[in-house]
Amino acid sequence: MTASLPSSAGFDAAAALRLAHETLDIEAAAVTGLKARLGDGFAEAVRAILACRGRVVVMGMGKSGHIGRKIAATLASTGTPAMFVHPAEASHGDLGMITADDVVLGISNSGEVSELAAILPVVRRLGAPLIAMTGGARSTLARHADIVLDSGVEKEACPHNLAPTASTTAQVALGDALAVALLDARGFRPEDFARSHPGGALGRKLLTHVADVMVTGDALPAVAPDASFAVLMREMSAKGLGAAAVVGPEQRLLGIFTDGDLRRLVETGADLRALTARDVMHAAPRTIAPTALAADAAERMEQHRITSLLVADADGRLVGLVHIGELMRAKVV
């Protein structure tokens, strides 16, 4: 039995859309308004974090705390070690997580939240630089801080000007601005991002190499150039990769024969029993190095409309075969 939904009687779709537009306008203005107030303080904050030998410790209560967790996560994933410490828990032992080598980023729109204000003198005594992100330029948080980042907004998007909306949008945007400035100053590259995101699509594309997914050893279909056509077919069928390499002494790569080649050969009406692997192979086949990115192998396969790519070392020796099926299983494509 399907549960009944609350009645929508009295719902004003036009009013909802109007409020949505107003919310976006207010929050966009809040973010844009930050630009005019960014100056030496922002540069000092970036410089202080770059000089930090420990971590950026982000602190905030309520909605600012949720934003603080996001900022800490963004910093950590872009090359700046960071963690979130809850101000209320800090008063009950978690202050021990903070050292003089850290930089503390305190976030509060009012700058007067009691749980954060209570621990500010202790943070100061620890000797850790304190950066305040606040809309209260004369607040308790701002007075204790070494550096103040003004995240103030003219009004919240909430119709009652109560629920943190525009102010939290401004905080998260300012946190992103810090992270971007820091990653640029550190020379942070896509490869660095991938190392902290190995489970994501970007991580797989930038960290997975051909050697990680290629078929090797007994599973690798390969025959000698004088092998009969029947032997070539048995090798292809047994390995099930739709292709077989033709190799000479010391695994020197000579050519390749594929399922597509077989179909075209049958259409010619040739006497297959009289042919050898050398007779039917494509000489100088396309190859890729084992150290190449698997994503590059996938791109070449798509470009040339093939499903297999032979892997050869710098001396032209066959070391493996990368198949589209393996790339899909590795979620590279």
Side-chain angles (χ1 to χ4, degrees):
M1 181 176 178
T2 304
S4 60
L5 296 174
S7 172
S8 60
F11 170 68
D12 188 337
L17 188 58
R18 174 180 56 78
L19 283 171
H21 288 167
E22 289 178 2
T23 298
L24 295 176
D25 286 340
I26 291 170
E27 298 202 356
V31 172
T32 303
L34 295 175
K35 291 172 60 177
R37 301 196 301 274
L38 284 184
D40 293 342
F42 183 84
E44 290 173 12
V46 173
R47 189 179 294 111
I49 294 173
L50 289 172
C52 173
R53 293 179 296 174
R55 298 174 181 272
V56 177
V57 179
V58 187
M59 308 182 80
M61 286 295 298
K63 301 301 184 293
S64 293
H66 293 305
I67 298 302
R69 291 182 188 276
K70 189 274 180 189
I71 291 174
T74 300
L75 290 171
S77 70
T78 53
T80 298
M83 64 180 180
F84 179 81
V85 174
H86 197 286
E89 297 297 334
S91 295
H92 298 276
D94 283 2
L95 270 174
M97 298 180 181
I98 306 172
T99 73
D101 290 333
D102 299 324
V103 170
V104 176
L105 173 61
I107 306 174
S108 170
N109 185 41
S110 68
E112 298 294 348
V113 62
S114 58
E115 293 88 346
L116 184 57
I119 61 173
L120 293 178
V122 183
V123 171
R124 298 298 298 158
R125 286 197 295 272
L126 285 171
L130 174 61
I131 302 171
M133 184 184 293
T134 180
R138 296 180 177 83
S139 64
T140 301
L141 176 58
R143 290 198 307 272
H144 280 82
D146 299 290
I147 302 166
V148 178
L149 300 177
D150 184 354
S151 61
V153 299
E154 288 188 9
K155 62 178 179 177
E156 299 288 3
C158 166
H160 308 297
N161 199 32
L162 295 174
T165 45
S167 58
T168 50
T169 300
Q171 289 169 354
V172 75
L174 194 50
D176 286 344
L178 268 178
V180 170
L182 286 162
L183 74 85
D184 179 72
R186 295 185 191 280
F188 194 78
R189 302 165 301 167
E191 293 80 2
D192 300 314
F193 186 87
R195 275 189 283 274
S196 59
H197 297 75
L202 178 62
R204 287 190 294 271
K205 287 184 178 181
L206 294 180
L207 296 178
T208 305
H209 291 83
V210 169
D212 300 323
V213 294
M214 69 184 186
V215 175
T216 61
D218 292 338
L220 180 61
V223 299
D226 58 354
S228 68
F229 191 79
V231 170
L232 176 60
M233 287 298 93
R234 283 197 294 271
E235 180 72 357
M236 287 180 62
S237 298
K239 304 302 170 60
L241 294 174
V246 180
V247 295
E250 299 181 346
Q251 288 293 96
R252 299 284 179 180
L253 182 60
L254 302 176
I256 189 173
F257 187 75
T258 69
D259 283 342
D261 295 328
L262 174 60
R263 288 192 297 272
R264 289 183 286 272
L265 186 61
V266 170
E267 290 173 357
T268 66
D271 182 2
L272 304 183
R273 294 171 299 177
L275 300 175
T276 66
R278 189 192 301 275
D279 297 327
V280 298
M281 72 179 188
H282 275 292
R286 296 183 181 90
T287 64
I288 195 165
T291 54
L293 290 174
D296 290 340
E299 185 177 343
R300 290 196 200 179
M301 289 182 191
E302 182 178 0
Q303 178 184 357
H304 298 291
R305 298 183 180 181
I306 56 178
T307 59
S308 298
L309 193 58
L310 296 177
V311 185
D313 64 16
D315 295 322
R317 286 188 290 263
L318 179 69
V319 295
L321 180 150
V322 59
H323 188 267
I324 189 65
E326 296 299 325
L327 295 176
M328 293 178 69
R329 275 187 283 276
K331 297 182 179 180
V332 173
V333 295

